[in-house]
Amino acid sequence: MSAPRTVLLTGAAGGVGTLMRELLPPYGYELRLLDVAPVQGAPDAVVADLADRTALREAVRGVDAVVHLAGISLEADFDKIMAANIAGTYNLYEAAREEGVRRVVLASSNHAVGFTRRPREGEPVVPVDTPHRPDTFYGLSKCFGEDLAQLYWDLHGIETVSVRIGSCFPEPTSVRMLSMWLSPADCARLLHASLTAESVGHTVAYGSSANTRAWWDLSTARALGYDPQDDSEVYAEKIVADKGLPEEGSADDLYLGGHFCVDPPRWPH
């Protein structure tokens, strides 16, 4: 598919959205920004809640694709997750359907499969088709998002790449992140590949850099044209020295979702 010119970036004031506001335009995109909070330095950004279907439809109108990062990104009470991540994602897809937008890149999460056992050294990495095993209501909402994307492809022909984002920060800050880290530059590479790949239907792709300690299979991401350039291993010696290895048998030792499985950080920070 030729590169879309205008892309709606939801969640533009959030952590990943803030990074992508700077890193996506060099690929040739004109970004239309949306967030429930004002976007610093972007007076033309759309300030709207995902519950506002009229505002969402206006924001989507005329764009070539959507990168949907908006929503609650940590654990919260179910009613809050329901409103922002479940109903909100449905509202976004309805707006895309009504306005004829044919490509969405959806921020899913590793927490959709958080209770999956992490592979040990010498074991195969976790495949993309591993069953959903959410570790939180937040992770459950990402399972819903992936299934909703599949429905809108089958029913309405809207293509989606659901990116199970690991940990997108300038640098990894924990031992677990050494396996899950997605550098901001690689995140932009993956989103660009997801926006431009041909005939994606509904594709689920893990979102991490080319980490030496990677736990999951990047084959579907690479098939989109993603070529990760970064590796968390350059940070490993210092992080392991500072933090120590996870205690054997702990959630951080056992599961992809780590501490989210037992004591998830809650929204807001």
mmCIF file with all atom_site columns, all heavy atoms in Angstrom, residues 191-207:
data_model
loop_
_atom_site.group_PDB
_atom_site.id
_atom_site.type_symbol
_atom_site.label_atom_id
_atom_site.label_alt_id
_atom_site.label_comp_id
_atom_site.label_asym_id
_atom_site.label_entity_id
_atom_site.label_seq_id
_atom_site.pdbx_PDB_ins_code
_atom_site.Cartn_x
_atom_site.Cartn_y
_atom_site.Cartn_z
_atom_site.occupancy
_atom_site.B_iso_or_equiv
_atom_site.pdbx_formal_charge
_atom_site.auth_seq_id
_atom_site.auth_comp_id
_atom_site.auth_asym_id
_atom_site.auth_atom_id
_atom_site.pdbx_PDB_model_num
ATOM 1   N N   . LEU A 1 191 ? 5.346  1.095   13.278 1.00 0.00 ? 191 LEU A N   1
ATOM 2   C CA  . LEU A 1 191 ? 4.097  1.753   12.900 1.00 0.00 ? 191 LEU A CA  1
ATOM 3   C C   . LEU A 1 191 ? 4.103  2.096   11.413 1.00 0.00 ? 191 LEU A C   1
ATOM 4   O O   . LEU A 1 191 ? 3.083  1.929   10.723 1.00 0.00 ? 191 LEU A O   1
ATOM 5   C CB  . LEU A 1 191 ? 3.880  3.003   13.746 1.00 0.00 ? 191 LEU A CB  1
ATOM 6   C CG  . LEU A 1 191 ? 3.659  2.788   15.248 1.00 0.00 ? 191 LEU A CG  1
ATOM 7   C CD1 . LEU A 1 191 ? 3.372  4.109   15.937 1.00 0.00 ? 191 LEU A CD1 1
ATOM 8   C CD2 . LEU A 1 191 ? 2.550  1.788   15.526 1.00 0.00 ? 191 LEU A CD2 1
ATOM 9   N N   . HIS A 1 192 ? 5.237  2.558   10.909 1.00 0.00 ? 192 HIS A N   1
ATOM 10  C CA  . HIS A 1 192 ? 5.338  2.868   9.474  1.00 0.00 ? 192 HIS A CA  1
ATOM 11  C C   . HIS A 1 192 ? 5.119  1.604   8.639  1.00 0.00 ? 192 HIS A C   1
ATOM 12  O O   . HIS A 1 192 ? 4.369  1.624   7.653  1.00 0.00 ? 192 HIS A O   1
ATOM 13  C CB  . HIS A 1 192 ? 6.712  3.476   9.178  1.00 0.00 ? 192 HIS A CB  1
ATOM 14  C CG  . HIS A 1 192 ? 6.965  3.706   7.720  1.00 0.00 ? 192 HIS A CG  1
ATOM 15  N ND1 . HIS A 1 192 ? 6.175  4.515   6.945  1.00 0.00 ? 192 HIS A ND1 1
ATOM 16  C CD2 . HIS A 1 192 ? 7.936  3.222   6.900  1.00 0.00 ? 192 HIS A CD2 1
ATOM 17  C CE1 . HIS A 1 192 ? 6.633  4.524   5.693  1.00 0.00 ? 192 HIS A CE1 1
ATOM 18  N NE2 . HIS A 1 192 ? 7.696  3.751   5.646  1.00 0.00 ? 192 HIS A NE2 1
ATOM 19  N N   . ALA A 1 193 ? 5.741  0.514   9.034  1.00 0.00 ? 193 ALA A N   1
ATOM 20  C CA  . ALA A 1 193 ? 5.542  -0.750  8.310  1.00 0.00 ? 193 ALA A CA  1
ATOM 21  C C   . ALA A 1 193 ? 4.075  -1.167  8.369  1.00 0.00 ? 193 ALA A C   1
ATOM 22  O O   . ALA A 1 193 ? 3.503  -1.636  7.371  1.00 0.00 ? 193 ALA A O   1
ATOM 23  C CB  . ALA A 1 193 ? 6.435  -1.839  8.898  1.00 0.00 ? 193 ALA A CB  1
ATOM 24  N N   . SER A 1 194 ? 3.442  -0.977  9.519  1.00 0.00 ? 194 SER A N   1
ATOM 25  C CA  . SER A 1 194 ? 2.046  -1.373  9.685  1.00 0.00 ? 194 SER A CA  1
ATOM 26  C C   . SER A 1 194 ? 1.107  -0.510  8.857  1.00 0.00 ? 194 SER A C   1
ATOM 27  O O   . SER A 1 194 ? 0.047  -0.972  8.417  1.00 0.00 ? 194 SER A O   1
ATOM 28  C CB  . SER A 1 194 ? 1.653  -1.281  11.167 1.00 0.00 ? 194 SER A CB  1
ATOM 29  O OG  . SER A 1 194 ? 2.454  -2.135  11.964 1.00 0.00 ? 194 SER A OG  1
ATOM 30  N N   . LEU A 1 195 ? 1.474  0.724   8.628  1.00 0.00 ? 195 LEU A N   1
ATOM 31  C CA  . LEU A 1 195 ? 0.650  1.630   7.831  1.00 0.00 ? 195 LEU A CA  1
ATOM 32  C C   . LEU A 1 195 ? 0.797  1.391   6.334  1.00 0.00 ? 195 LEU A C   1
ATOM 33  O O   . LEU A 1 195 ? -0.108 1.718   5.563  1.00 0.00 ? 195 LEU A O   1
ATOM 34  C CB  . LEU A 1 195 ? 1.022  3.085   8.147  1.00 0.00 ? 195 LEU A CB  1
ATOM 35  C CG  . LEU A 1 195 ? 0.558  3.622   9.506  1.00 0.00 ? 195 LEU A CG  1
ATOM 36  C CD1 . LEU A 1 195 ? 1.279  4.915   9.846  1.00 0.00 ? 195 LEU A CD1 1
ATOM 37  C CD2 . LEU A 1 195 ? -0.957 3.837   9.518  1.00 0.00 ? 195 LEU A CD2 1
ATOM 38  N N   . THR A 1 196 ? 1.920  0.829   5.923  1.00 0.00 ? 196 THR A N   1
ATOM 39  C CA  . THR A 1 196 ? 2.214  0.764   4.486  1.00 0.00 ? 196 THR A CA  1
ATOM 40  C C   . THR A 1 196 ? 2.216  -0.639  3.902  1.00 0.00 ? 196 THR A C   1
ATOM 41  O O   . THR A 1 196 ? 2.219  -0.790  2.671  1.00 0.00 ? 196 THR A O   1
ATOM 42  C CB  . THR A 1 196 ? 3.579  1.416   4.198  1.00 0.00 ? 196 THR A CB  1
ATOM 43  O OG1 . THR A 1 196 ? 4.591  0.782   4.990  1.00 0.00 ? 196 THR A OG1 1
ATOM 44  C CG2 . THR A 1 196 ? 3.556  2.901   4.518  1.00 0.00 ? 196 THR A CG2 1
ATOM 45  N N   . ALA A 1 197 ? 2.223  -1.679  4.728  1.00 0.00 ? 197 ALA A N   1
ATOM 46  C CA  . ALA A 1 197 ? 2.254  -3.050  4.204  1.00 0.00 ? 197 ALA A CA  1
ATOM 47  C C   . ALA A 1 197 ? 0.991  -3.341  3.399  1.00 0.00 ? 197 ALA A C   1
ATOM 48  O O   . ALA A 1 197 ? -0.094 -2.839  3.699  1.00 0.00 ? 197 ALA A O   1
ATOM 49  C CB  . ALA A 1 197 ? 2.397  -4.054  5.342  1.00 0.00 ? 197 ALA A CB  1
ATOM 50  N N   . GLU A 1 198 ? 1.144  -4.174  2.390  1.00 0.00 ? 198 GLU A N   1
ATOM 51  C CA  . GLU A 1 198 ? 0.010  -4.556  1.553  1.00 0.00 ? 198 GLU A CA  1
ATOM 52  C C   . GLU A 1 198 ? -0.807 -5.664  2.222  1.00 0.00 ? 198 GLU A C   1
ATOM 53  O O   . GLU A 1 198 ? -0.264 -6.560  2.864  1.00 0.00 ? 198 GLU A O   1
ATOM 54  C CB  . GLU A 1 198 ? 0.515  -5.072  0.194  1.00 0.00 ? 198 GLU A CB  1
ATOM 55  C CG  . GLU A 1 198 ? 1.269  -4.035  -0.626 1.00 0.00 ? 198 GLU A CG  1
ATOM 56  C CD  . GLU A 1 198 ? 0.352  -3.014  -1.272 1.00 0.00 ? 198 GLU A CD  1
ATOM 57  O OE1 . GLU A 1 198 ? -0.881 -3.233  -1.265 1.00 0.00 ? 198 GLU A OE1 1
ATOM 58  O OE2 . GLU A 1 198 ? 0.856  -2.002  -1.784 1.00 0.00 ? 198 GLU A OE2 1
ATOM 59  N N   . SER A 1 199 ? -2.118 -5.586  2.053  1.00 0.00 ? 199 SER A N   1
ATOM 60  C CA  . SER A 1 199 ? -3.031 -6.703  2.349  1.00 0.00 ? 199 SER A CA  1
ATOM 61  C C   . SER A 1 199 ? -2.769 -7.335  3.711  1.00 0.00 ? 199 SER A C   1
ATOM 62  O O   . SER A 1 199 ? -2.464 -8.516  3.819  1.00 0.00 ? 199 SER A O   1
ATOM 63  C CB  . SER A 1 199 ? -2.893 -7.771  1.245  1.00 0.00 ? 199 SER A CB  1
ATOM 64  O OG  . SER A 1 199 ? -3.146 -7.212  -0.025 1.00 0.00 ? 199 SER A OG  1
ATOM 65  N N   . VAL A 1 200 ? -2.935 -6.537  4.765  1.00 0.00 ? 200 VAL A N   1
ATOM 66  C CA  . VAL A 1 200 ? -2.660 -7.053  6.112  1.00 0.00 ? 200 VAL A CA  1
ATOM 67  C C   . VAL A 1 200 ? -3.864 -7.766  6.711  1.00 0.00 ? 200 VAL A C   1
ATOM 68  O O   . VAL A 1 200 ? -3.722 -8.524  7.681  1.00 0.00 ? 200 VAL A O   1
ATOM 69  C CB  . VAL A 1 200 ? -2.181 -5.927  7.062  1.00 0.00 ? 200 VAL A CB  1
ATOM 70  C CG1 . VAL A 1 200 ? -0.933 -5.271  6.510  1.00 0.00 ? 200 VAL A CG1 1
ATOM 71  C CG2 . VAL A 1 200 ? -3.272 -4.897  7.318  1.00 0.00 ? 200 VAL A CG2 1
ATOM 72  N N   . GLY A 1 201 ? -5.086 -7.538  6.155  1.00 0.00 ? 201 GLY A N   1
ATOM 73  C CA  . GLY A 1 201 ? -6.271 -8.118  6.776  1.00 0.00 ? 201 GLY A CA  1
ATOM 74  C C   . GLY A 1 201 ? -6.326 -7.711  8.233  1.00 0.00 ? 201 GLY A C   1
ATOM 75  O O   . GLY A 1 201 ? -6.362 -6.525  8.549  1.00 0.00 ? 201 GLY A O   1
ATOM 76  N N   . HIS A 1 202 ? -6.353 -8.692  9.129  1.00 0.00 ? 202 HIS A N   1
ATOM 77  C CA  . HIS A 1 202 ? -6.066 -8.394  10.533 1.00 0.00 ? 202 HIS A CA  1
ATOM 78  C C   . HIS A 1 202 ? -4.819 -9.163  10.912 1.00 0.00 ? 202 HIS A C   1
ATOM 79  O O   . HIS A 1 202 ? -4.818 -10.402 10.944 1.00 0.00 ? 202 HIS A O   1
ATOM 80  C CB  . HIS A 1 202 ? -7.216 -8.786  11.471 1.00 0.00 ? 202 HIS A CB  1
ATOM 81  C CG  . HIS A 1 202 ? -6.863 -8.574  12.913 1.00 0.00 ? 202 HIS A CG  1
ATOM 82  N ND1 . HIS A 1 202 ? -7.087 -9.520  13.889 1.00 0.00 ? 202 HIS A ND1 1
ATOM 83  C CD2 . HIS A 1 202 ? -6.249 -7.539  13.534 1.00 0.00 ? 202 HIS A CD2 1
ATOM 84  C CE1 . HIS A 1 202 ? -6.648 -9.065  15.055 1.00 0.00 ? 202 HIS A CE1 1
ATOM 85  N NE2 . HIS A 1 202 ? -6.140 -7.856  14.863 1.00 0.00 ? 202 HIS A NE2 1
ATOM 86  N N   . THR A 1 203 ? -3.753 -8.445  11.155 1.00 0.00 ? 203 THR A N   1
ATOM 87  C CA  . THR A 1 203 ? -2.466 -9.031  11.522 1.00 0.00 ? 203 THR A CA  1
ATOM 88  C C   . THR A 1 203 ? -2.137 -8.655  12.953 1.00 0.00 ? 203 THR A C   1
ATOM 89  O O   . THR A 1 203 ? -2.207 -7.480  13.326 1.00 0.00 ? 203 THR A O   1
ATOM 90  C CB  . THR A 1 203 ? -1.343 -8.515  10.596 1.00 0.00 ? 203 THR A CB  1
ATOM 91  O OG1 . THR A 1 203 ? -1.603 -8.948  9.257  1.00 0.00 ? 203 THR A OG1 1
ATOM 92  C CG2 . THR A 1 203 ? 0.019  -9.039  11.039 1.00 0.00 ? 203 THR A CG2 1
ATOM 93  N N   . VAL A 1 204 ? -1.780 -9.643  13.756 1.00 0.00 ? 204 VAL A N   1
ATOM 94  C CA  . VAL A 1 204 ? -1.270 -9.401  15.103 1.00 0.00 ? 204 VAL A CA  1
ATOM 95  C C   . VAL A 1 204 ? 0.244  -9.486  15.052 1.00 0.00 ? 204 VAL A C   1
ATOM 96  O O   . VAL A 1 204 ? 0.799  -10.445 14.496 1.00 0.00 ? 204 VAL A O   1
ATOM 97  C CB  . VAL A 1 204 ? -1.826 -10.423 16.113 1.00 0.00 ? 204 VAL A CB  1
ATOM 98  C CG1 . VAL A 1 204 ? -1.229 -10.191 17.497 1.00 0.00 ? 204 VAL A CG1 1
ATOM 99  C CG2 . VAL A 1 204 ? -3.346 -10.343 16.177 1.00 0.00 ? 204 VAL A CG2 1
ATOM 100 N N   . ALA A 1 205 ? 0.901  -8.469  15.600 1.00 0.00 ? 205 ALA A N   1
ATOM 101 C CA  . ALA A 1 205 ? 2.364  -8.433  15.581 1.00 0.00 ? 205 ALA A CA  1
ATOM 102 C C   . ALA A 1 205 ? 2.870  -8.032  16.961 1.00 0.00 ? 205 ALA A C   1
ATOM 103 O O   . ALA A 1 205 ? 2.325  -7.113  17.588 1.00 0.00 ? 205 ALA A O   1
ATOM 104 C CB  . ALA A 1 205 ? 2.861  -7.438  14.528 1.00 0.00 ? 205 ALA A CB  1
ATOM 105 N N   . TYR A 1 206 ? 3.882  -8.718  17.428 1.00 0.00 ? 206 TYR A N   1
ATOM 106 C CA  . TYR A 1 206 ? 4.535  -8.304  18.667 1.00 0.00 ? 206 TYR A CA  1
ATOM 107 C C   . TYR A 1 206 ? 5.398  -7.084  18.392 1.00 0.00 ? 206 TYR A C   1
ATOM 108 O O   . TYR A 1 206 ? 6.032  -6.975  17.337 1.00 0.00 ? 206 TYR A O   1
ATOM 109 C CB  . TYR A 1 206 ? 5.402  -9.432  19.225 1.00 0.00 ? 206 TYR A CB  1
ATOM 110 C CG  . TYR A 1 206 ? 4.615  -10.562 19.840 1.00 0.00 ? 206 TYR A CG  1
ATOM 111 C CD1 . TYR A 1 206 ? 4.711  -11.858 19.337 1.00 0.00 ? 206 TYR A CD1 1
ATOM 112 C CD2 . TYR A 1 206 ? 3.781  -10.338 20.928 1.00 0.00 ? 206 TYR A CD2 1
ATOM 113 C CE1 . TYR A 1 206 ? 4.001  -12.903 19.901 1.00 0.00 ? 206 TYR A CE1 1
ATOM 114 C CE2 . TYR A 1 206 ? 3.060  -11.383 21.497 1.00 0.00 ? 206 TYR A CE2 1
ATOM 115 C CZ  . TYR A 1 206 ? 3.182  -12.652 20.981 1.00 0.00 ? 206 TYR A CZ  1
ATOM 116 O OH  . TYR A 1 206 ? 2.466  -13.688 21.541 1.00 0.00 ? 206 TYR A OH  1
ATOM 117 N N   . GLY A 1 207 ? 5.417  -6.181  19.355 1.00 0.00 ? 207 GLY A N   1
ATOM 118 C CA  . GLY A 1 207 ? 6.171  -4.950  19.203 1.00 0.00 ? 207 GLY A CA  1
ATOM 119 C C   . GLY A 1 207 ? 7.322  -4.864  20.178 1.00 0.00 ? 207 GLY A C   1
ATOM 120 O O   . GLY A 1 207 ? 7.153  -4.444  21.327 1.00 0.00 ? 207 GLY A O   1
#
